[in-house]
């Protein structure tokens, strides 16, 4: 091993045994990650051992530059020329995996290391005080200070909330050549209101995005791409005790509640047109009711996002029910000549299916355009539709099964809702279903044409996946490939969808007729 600043490396060849005669050996450098002319001066020559000589030194010049490079290596091969064979041999023939050679590896360590960045302390504790308290944080540069490097810094909330517990900072920190220590701008911890006590809170200070080939210290809190310092704000010792204990038992953070309130108000303040054109205003007023409903969902900063998740799920459920009813009414209005059951089935596989799938399609397209492959978009389409089916069918069926099981059925009562429904639909006395013999199976869903529709859907789905695989392997088309292939495959997929629609429509009509 040799440092780049040493400018040379001496390789000693040792001769043992009978040294009563002279001999020659051949040495030759072979590139590894280090390259001749750029990192070292190549050597390719014979070395003469005279009578009685046991050692010879081969000096290889190392080229020093001003740019940082990773640790590099090259090899020196020692071999016996044909004229000296029989006079001398190799003590380590084949070492390094090269037959007929003895191999030495030379490793070049670059002394122009830009350094490893990290905090002098990965955890800082600050006590509350009656006045705003500055906190100084030091960033150190170790293992080298060569060249100019920079890193970005920012604060991140944990239980402490910016603008309430502390003043957030962000920016770029710059180290000049040879500079090993740098102070970040002061962090300000705000005082609490008089008579108010809060539990111990924390926030993070993160440095990342280093330039100049610098890295980060991963031996502390962080990784090779970032370093983290945790700042803990401890309650005032004078207000601790039973009051401080009560503060630590609080589930809700008052500062987070204040931030949530402000964010929630901003959601309503943003209910304005995206532009000033007439079309922007028309679109805004058309979408205003939906924007208003979504603005009522609490921000995710409240209670760790659980309230937002549950509320958003409830809103989605209500909107889904509303869209389903509207689609059913639209189907009855557009298809008045068809029986109600057929109209519902046709509406389900056309209007409702498009209404639930088109948003996923747009989201998948955006994902595919931004990603290097279409895997995420395909996974989104298949996953979202699977969830729609499992929830759309499984959840109502589960509720129906529990309902009828708990309610009970009286087969001898013609006014029983279960008996009336079975008689009206036709499955109660269907000789193929044997409902009366199979009772007490209280929840009944006639399969009808479901099996044939699922079979056709499976065939079209497998065909679609086959088109995607062929297009990817043959044309490299993640998003369609060449224009001709793109439009042809799109037409083929639309045709498969139309085949399923036509089959489902004719099956629904023929089944009821």
């Amino acid at each position: 091993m040799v440092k780049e600043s040493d400018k040379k490396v001496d390789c000693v060849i040792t001769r043992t045994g009978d040294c009563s005669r002279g001999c020659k050996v051949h040495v030759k450098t072979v590139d590894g990650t280090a390259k001749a002319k750029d990192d070292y001066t190549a050597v390719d020559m014979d070395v003469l051992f005279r009578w009685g000589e046991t050692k010879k030194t081969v000096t290889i010049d190392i080229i020093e530059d001003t740019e940082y490079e990773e640790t590099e290596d090259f090899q020196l091969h020692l071999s016996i020329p044909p004229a000296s064979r029989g006079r001398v041999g190799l003590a380590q023939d084949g070492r390094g995996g090269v037959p007929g050679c003895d191999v030495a590896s030379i490793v070049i360590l670059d002394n122009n290391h830009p350094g490893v960045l990290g905090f002098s302390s990965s955890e800082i504790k600050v006590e509350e005080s009656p006045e705003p308290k500055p906190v100084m944080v030091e960033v150190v540069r170790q293992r080298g200070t060569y060249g100019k490097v920079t890193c970005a810094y920012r604060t991140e909330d944990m239980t402490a909330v910016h603008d309430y517990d502390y003043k957030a900072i962000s920016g770029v920190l710059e180290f000049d050549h040879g500079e090993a220590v740098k102070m970040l701008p002061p962090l300000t911890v705000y005082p609490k209101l008089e008579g108010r006590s809060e539990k111990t809170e924390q926030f993070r200070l993160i440095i990342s995005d280093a330039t100049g080939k610098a890295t980060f210290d991963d031996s502390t809190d962080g990784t090779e791409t970032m370093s983290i310092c945790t700042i803990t704000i401890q309650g005032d010792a004078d207000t601790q005790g039973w009051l401080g204990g009560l503060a630590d038992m609080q589930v809700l953070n008052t500062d987070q509640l204040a931030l949530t309130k402000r964010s929630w108000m901003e959601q309503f303040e943003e209910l304005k047109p995206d532009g000033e054109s007439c079309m922007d205003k028309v679109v805004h007023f058309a979408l205003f009711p939906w924007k208003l409903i979504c603005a009522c969902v609490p921000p995710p900063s409240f209670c760790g996002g659980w309230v937002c998740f549950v509320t958003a799920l409830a809103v989605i459920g209500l909107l889904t029910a509303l869209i389903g009813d509207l689609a059913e009414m639209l189907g009855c209005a557009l298809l008045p000549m068809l029986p109600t059951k057929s109209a519902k089935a046709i509406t389900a596989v056309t209007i409702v299916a498009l209404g639930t799938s088109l948003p996923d399609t747009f989201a998948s397209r955006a994902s595919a355009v931004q990603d290097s492959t279409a895997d995420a978009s395909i996974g989104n389409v298949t996953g979202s539709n699977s969830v729609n089916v499992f929830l759309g069918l499984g959840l109502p069926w589960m509720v129906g099964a529990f309902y009828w099981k708990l309610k009970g059925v009286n087969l001898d009562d013609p006014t029983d809702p279960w008996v009336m429904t079975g008689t009206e639909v036709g499955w109660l006395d269907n000789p193929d279903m044997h409902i009366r013999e199979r009772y007490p199976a209280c929840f009944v869903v006639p399969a009808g044409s479901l099996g044939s529709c699922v079979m056709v859907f499976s065939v079209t789905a497998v065909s679609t996946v086959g088109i995607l695989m062929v297009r990817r392997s043959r044309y490299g088309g993640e998003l369609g490939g060449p224009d001709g292939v793109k439009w042809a495959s799109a037409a083929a997929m639309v045709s498969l969808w139309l085949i399923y629609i036509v089959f489902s429509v004719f099956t629904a009509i023929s089944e009821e007729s």
Side-chain angles (χ1 to χ4, degrees), residues 338 342 345-346 349-350 453 500-510:
L338 295 178
S342 299
I346 296 172
V349 298
T350 54
C453 289
Y500 174 74
I501 293 297
V502 171
F503 178 83
S504 300
V505 169
F506 277 103
T507 301
I509 295 175
S510 61

Side-chain angles (χ1 to χ4, degrees), residues 30-301:
V30 177
D31 286 350
T33 53
K35 306 300 180 183
K37 296 183 180 180
D38 294 332
D39 301 302
Y40 69 94
T41 301
V43 170
D44 187 359
M45 65 180 184
D46 290 335
V47 177
L48 175 63
F49 279 85
R50 300 185 184 276
W51 178 89
E53 284 187 316
T54 58
K55 290 185 178 181
K56 283 286 188 178
T57 301
V58 178
T59 300
I60 304 173
D61 294 329
I62 304 298
I63 300 174
E64 183 180 16
D65 52 31
T66 58
E67 295 183 359
Y68 168 68
E69 297 172 319
E70 298 290 343
T71 298
E72 300 173 319
D73 66 342
F74 66 97
Q75 295 179 341
L76 182 64
H77 287 192
L78 174 66
S79 60
I80 307 300
S84 296
R85 291 174 185 170
R87 296 184 179 183
V88 67
L90 294 175
Q92 297 287 341
D93 192 349
R95 182 166 63 174
V98 182
C101 291
D102 185 10
V103 178
S105 295
I106 295 93
V107 178
I108 304 176
L109 302 176
D110 194 347
N111 55 300
N112 299 327
H113 200 290
V116 178
L117 304 179
F119 293 102
S120 58
S121 177
S122 60
E123 185 174 357
I124 299 175
K125 295 182 178 180
V126 184
E127 291 187 357
E128 293 179 359
S129 63
E131 301 294 332
K133 192 171 187 177
V135 180
M136 305 304 297
V137 181
E138 189 177 70
V139 179
V140 295
R141 181 184 183 188
Q142 302 173 330
R143 306 179 198 172
T145 59
Y146 187 87
K148 183 178 179 180
V149 300
T150 64
C151 67
Y153 62 88
R154 71 181 189 278
T155 51
E156 183 179 276
D157 289 353
M158 293 175 67
T159 53
V161 181
H162 68 279
D163 295 340
Y164 290 91
D165 296 308
Y166 69 97
K167 182 180 179 181
I169 61 171
S170 63
V172 176
L173 190 65
E174 184 177 299
F175 286 84
D176 290 328
H177 174 70
E179 194 171 15
V181 179
K182 200 79 172 181
M183 301 298 295
L184 287 172
L187 286 165
T188 302
V189 176
Y190 294 137
K192 300 303 177 187
L193 297 177
E194 185 177 357
R196 174 180 169 185
S197 179
E198 291 192 359
K199 58 184 178 180
T200 299
E201 298 172 323
Q202 294 179 320
F203 65 98
R204 294 189 184 98
L205 180 60
I206 301 173
I207 54 175
S208 60
D209 302 325
T211 63
K213 298 186 178 180
T215 58
F216 293 96
D217 187 4
D218 59 354
S219 62
T220 58
D221 192 4
T223 64
E224 290 186 354
T225 58
M226 69 169 61
S227 189
I228 301 173
C229 176
T230 303
I231 294 92
T232 302
I233 306 175
Q234 296 179 324
D236 188 357
D238 295 335
T239 61
Q240 293 300 305
W242 68 272
L243 185 60
L246 291 177
D248 287 336
M249 294 173 60
Q250 294 180 25
V251 178
L252 300 178
N253 188 312
T254 54
D255 293 326
Q256 288 183 341
L257 290 176
L259 179 63
T260 300
K261 179 181 177 181
R262 187 178 66 182
S263 301
W264 208 344
M265 293 178 61
E266 290 176 352
Q267 291 181 183
F268 289 94
E269 293 172 356
E270 293 174 356
L271 295 178
K272 54 185 180 180
D274 296 330
E276 298 297 331
S277 65
C278 181
M279 181 58 66
D280 291 332
K281 294 180 179 179
V282 171
V283 172
H284 168 70
F285 285 110
L287 299 179
F288 183 79
W290 309 106
K291 291 182 178 181
L292 182 61
I293 293 174
C294 294
C296 295
V297 178
S301 57

Side-chain angles (χ1 to χ4, degrees), residues 186-513:
L187 286 165
T188 302
V189 176
Y190 294 137
K192 300 303 177 187
L193 297 177
E194 185 177 357
R196 174 180 169 185
S197 179
E198 291 192 359
K199 58 184 178 180
T200 299
E201 298 172 323
Q202 294 179 320
F203 65 98
R204 294 189 184 98
L205 180 60
I206 301 173
I207 54 175
S208 60
D209 302 325
T211 63
K213 298 186 178 180
T215 58
F216 293 96
D217 187 4
D218 59 354
S219 62
T220 58
D221 192 4
T223 64
E224 290 186 354
T225 58
M226 69 169 61
S227 189
I228 301 173
C229 176
T230 303
I231 294 92
T232 302
I233 306 175
Q234 296 179 324
D236 188 357
D238 295 335
T239 61
Q240 293 300 305
W242 68 272
L243 185 60
L246 291 177
D248 287 336
M249 294 173 60
Q250 294 180 25
V251 178
L252 300 178
N253 188 312
T254 54
D255 293 326
Q256 288 183 341
L257 290 176
L259 179 63
T260 300
K261 179 181 177 181
R262 187 178 66 182
S263 301
W264 208 344
M265 293 178 61
E266 290 176 352
Q267 291 181 183
F268 289 94
E269 293 172 356
E270 293 174 356
L271 295 178
K272 54 185 180 180
D274 296 330
E276 298 297 331
S277 65
C278 181
M279 181 58 66
D280 291 332
K281 294 180 179 179
V282 171
V283 172
H284 168 70
F285 285 110
L287 299 179
F288 183 79
W290 309 106
K291 291 182 178 181
L292 182 61
I293 293 174
C294 294
C296 295
V297 178
S301 57
F302 182 59
C303 292
W306 283 104
V307 177
C308 175
F309 174 76
V310 174
T311 308
L313 199 61
V315 170
I316 291 173
L318 292 175
L319 291 179
T320 302
L322 176 62
I323 293 173
D325 290 341
L326 292 176
E328 182 178 343
M329 295 170 61
L330 180 62
C332 294
L334 295 177
L335 305 171
M337 74 293 297
L338 295 178
T340 303
K341 185 177 178 181
S342 299
K344 288 183 177 181
I346 296 172
T347 303
V349 298
T350 54
I351 301 175
V352 176
L354 284 175
T356 57
S357 298
L358 281 179
D360 292 331
T361 304
F362 294 137
S364 299
R365 180 189 178 279
S367 174
V369 169
Q370 296 173 5
D371 201 356
S372 58
T373 66
D375 296 339
S377 58
I378 298 299
N380 177 56
V381 170
T382 55
S384 61
N385 281 279
S386 299
V387 170
N388 289 342
V389 172
F390 295 150
L391 288 180
L393 296 180
L395 189 60
W397 286 3
M398 183 186 72
V399 173
F402 278 109
Y403 172 80
W404 287 110
K405 185 65 177 178
L406 294 175
K407 183 178 179 61
V409 175
N410 186 359
L411 291 175
D412 299 327
D413 184 4
T415 62
D416 186 276
W418 188 83
V419 175
M420 294 178 62
T421 301
T423 304
E424 178 183 353
V425 177
W427 48 256
L428 181 60
D429 298 313
N430 190 325
D432 297 327
M433 299 182 68
H434 305 287
I435 296 298
R436 295 182 182 271
E437 291 82 354
R438 297 167 64 181
Y439 182 81
C442 299
F443 182 64
V444 181
V445 179
S449 60
L450 181 62
S452 57
C453 289
V454 169
M455 184 178 299
V456 173
F457 176 81
S458 300
V459 171
T460 55
V462 171
S463 302
T464 302
V465 174
I467 292 174
L468 294 175
M469 294 177 64
V470 171
R471 193 176 66 181
R472 170 185 287 188
S473 61
R474 185 164 182 178
Y475 301 101
E478 292 290 346
L479 301 179
D483 288 341
V485 176
K486 176 172 61 178
W487 290 109
S489 59
M493 293 178 187
V494 172
S495 300
L496 291 174
W497 176 70
L498 291 176
I499 290 174
Y500 174 74
I501 293 297
V502 171
F503 178 83
S504 300
V505 169
F506 277 103
T507 301
I509 295 175
S510 61
E511 182 180 2
E512 191 162 1
S513 60

